[in-house]
Amino acid sequence: MSVSHPRAASAESCEPVPFIDLVAQYQTIKEEVKSAVDRCFESQTFILGDEVAALETEIAAYCDSQYAIGCASGTDALILALLAAGVKPGDEVITSPFTFFASAGAIHRVGAIPVLVDIEPDSFNLDPEKVEQAITSRTAAIMPVHIFGQCAEMEPLWRMSAAHDIPIIEDSAQAIGAEYRGRRTGVLGTIGCFSFFPTKNLGGAGDGGIMTTDDPDLAARLKRLRVHGDLGGYNHVEVGFNSRLDALQAAVLRVKLRHLDAWTEGRARNAERYCQLIEANGLSDVVKVPAILPDRRHVFNQFTTRVVGGQREKIMKSLKESQIGCAVYYPIPLHLQKCFAYLGYQPGDLPEAERACAEVMSLPIYTELPAAHLERVVEGISKALGRQANLVFPKAAAPAQRRAA
């Protein structure tokens, strides 16, 4: 049984639906942020210092890690983690072709060779079987990417790591607060790497990143590498980087961290509403909602659907004409990017990643997204497909966190 609320699609007459609205979030915490920023200016401490140390302690506690080390960006976090883990020029690092460029870019930047293996079709994450097939004597690390906010399948990667003595570098840039079997990202590998880019679930007022680990020696080296390899007192024991986290960023992030779990719950509610509406409006034959895998907490950095039947461009064109935000993450897999042509991959080598790039479409998911805007997105999809939109709500629906692949 269901309750129907017919409403004609009216996309043309409604206000725009942004893909993301950072202003809406800021309005809810404006005074807290202003107070934190004022505190930094009063202290005149802008690089590292007490604010960064406090954020590191709070992030470590949030992730249940022993140590957290701030740095200048999520990309720097990956580079520093690879170096600290002992990855050298000529080594191989296994990672995903379906991710933001920084994952493979960081591997290249340390002189190693990105080894790109295919993904699981349901989760968009690394396929563990393909990872195992790619391990060689030159494999120096495995870098799973917890794409869109859902953890990769980690247990088989743990077994490979133990069997071959290979560290795991978690690319958790999109996944702070995500969980695998009750444990949060950041402690599912040797080192966890996070981004504080403004559009992330925990986003700063600019670039920033952090690394987590339980290993005291790795933590010490990461702290050293971010300040030119300095042990202190201008005693440089290795060549590092200038990758320090600004105190202003840390102060803003400390405010936001207090709200993160509530914001994550809001994203999950919006995801569930999408799932209900897409299914109830008979759109699931074309728009496939994200699969929520068992024993996971999905934090929905993106709500990424698959549009099948070659309909994606038509839907996106119609949504954009109606001023409804949507996006493609990512249109070109890394193995087919021009700058990685030297790796020798050809079209068809990694078919699941290529299929994902041809089908994915992300919809607005931010916590402050009004219900009317979310409904309008679904109306817009119905309109694009030439269907009548009725906002039909099932009497009972499985919560998004229990939806299986």
Side-chain angles (χ1 to χ4, degrees):
M1 179 178 178
S2 63
V3 179
S4 298
H5 302 282
R7 185 168 80 187
S10 55
E12 296 84 359
S13 61
C14 295
E15 63 183 10
V17 178
F19 183 68
I20 190 165
D21 187 352
L22 296 178
V23 173
Q25 182 189 84
Y26 176 63
Q27 294 302 321
T28 69
I29 56 171
K30 181 188 294 187
E31 296 309 316
E32 293 177 83
V33 170
K34 286 183 175 180
S35 177
V37 170
D38 285 346
R39 187 171 66 241
C40 287
F41 275 97
E42 289 297 328
S43 73
Q44 288 293 293
T45 300
F46 297 113
I47 304 293
L48 298 177
D50 291 343
E51 290 288 350
V52 171
L55 176 69
E56 290 171 338
T57 297
E58 291 161 9
I59 292 290
Y62 185 81
C63 295
D64 194 29
S65 66
Q66 291 296 311
Y67 307 96
I69 303 94
C71 62
S73 70
T75 301
D76 278 8
L78 293 171
I79 292 171
L80 294 169
L82 289 164
L83 291 172
V87 176
K88 303 181 299 299
D91 286 344
E92 296 176 349
V93 178
I94 299 171
T95 195
S96 172
F98 186 66
T99 176
F100 180 60
F101 182 82
S103 305
I107 297 167
H108 175 91
R109 276 293 169 209
V110 302
I113 301 167
V115 175
L116 304 169
V117 303
D118 216 352
I119 60 172
E120 298 175 324
D122 292 329
S123 72
F124 303 116
N125 280 315
L126 276 178
D127 183 333
E129 290 186 8
K130 302 295 193 300
V131 173
E132 189 162 28
Q133 294 166 10
I135 292 175
T136 72
S137 60
R138 297 171 63 188
T139 304
I142 300 170
M143 183 189 289
V145 182
H146 305 308
I147 199 73
F148 304 138
Q150 179 165 224
C151 291
E153 182 61 71
M154 295 302 298
E155 183 175 351
L157 300 184
W158 292 336
R159 290 198 296 267
M160 295 174 217
S161 172
H164 299 279
D165 193 25
I166 300 170
I168 294 174
I169 308 298
E170 290 181 83
D171 185 338
S172 299
Q174 300 180 8
I176 191 164
E179 295 179 5
Y180 177 84
R181 299 184 181 177
R183 298 217 70 192
R184 285 186 170 164
T185 53
V187 293
L188 301 177
T190 311
I191 304 173
C193 301
F194 297 88
S195 168
F196 297 134
F197 189 78
T199 57
K200 296 296 191 287
N201 291 28
L202 181 63
D207 271 321
I210 208 162
M211 303 155 289
T212 54
T213 186
D214 286 337
D215 187 314
D217 293 331
L218 284 176
R221 191 172 185 206
L222 290 167
K223 287 182 179 180
R224 187 168 72 233
L225 283 169
R226 72 177 175 181
V227 288
H228 299 287
D230 186 6
L231 276 176
Y234 300 102
N235 180 18
H236 299 267
V237 296
E238 61 183 320
V239 178
F241 295 85
N242 176 13
S243 185
R244 301 167 296 197
L245 183 62
D246 293 345
L248 281 167
Q249 295 299 337
V252 171
L253 290 162
R254 292 182 66 201
V255 170
K256 290 190 169 188
L257 183 60
R258 297 196 290 267
H259 300 273
L260 180 57
D261 281 334
W263 290 340
T264 298
E265 290 170 8
R267 286 173 178 266
R269 285 193 299 271
N270 285 339
E272 177 57 25
R273 194 167 183 84
Y274 271 131
C275 292
Q276 290 176 352
L277 284 172
I278 288 169
E279 181 178 351
N281 278 274
L283 302 173
S284 55
D285 61 325
V286 176
V287 179
K288 308 295 184 182
V289 300
I292 315 303
L293 301 184
D295 302 317
R296 310 291 205 282
R297 182 198 191 204
H298 197 322
V299 298
F300 291 102
N301 179 246
Q302 303 294 346
F303 185 85
T304 298
T305 65
R306 279 186 184 270
V307 181
V308 299
Q311 304 263 42
R312 184 179 72 181
E313 302 313 315
K314 178 175 75 172
I315 292 174
M316 292 188 69
K317 181 176 183 291
S318 180
L319 290 176
K320 290 176 181 179
E321 287 173 350
S322 298
Q323 297 184 287
I324 297 172
C326 55
V328 174
Y329 297 99
Y330 297 92
I332 304 173
L334 296 186
H335 68 288
L336 299 182
Q337 293 283 354
K338 182 178 180 180
C339 65
F340 287 134
Y342 73 92
L343 295 174
Y345 294 97
Q346 300 297 321
D349 284 349
L350 304 177
E352 289 298 342
E354 293 169 35
R355 184 164 73 93
C357 289
E359 294 180 346
V360 291
M361 176 179 70
S362 296
L363 304 176
I365 189 66
Y366 57 94
T367 305
E368 300 80 17
L369 182 71
H373 281 193
L374 188 153
E375 292 164 7
R376 191 171 160 238
V377 174
V378 178
E379 288 180 338
I381 295 171
S382 296
K383 173 175 175 277
L385 294 174
R387 303 179 185 182
Q388 178 65 41
N390 290 308
L391 300 183
V392 182
F393 296 91
K395 186 174 183 181
Q401 293 293 346
R402 293 204 300 270
R403 289 178 181 265

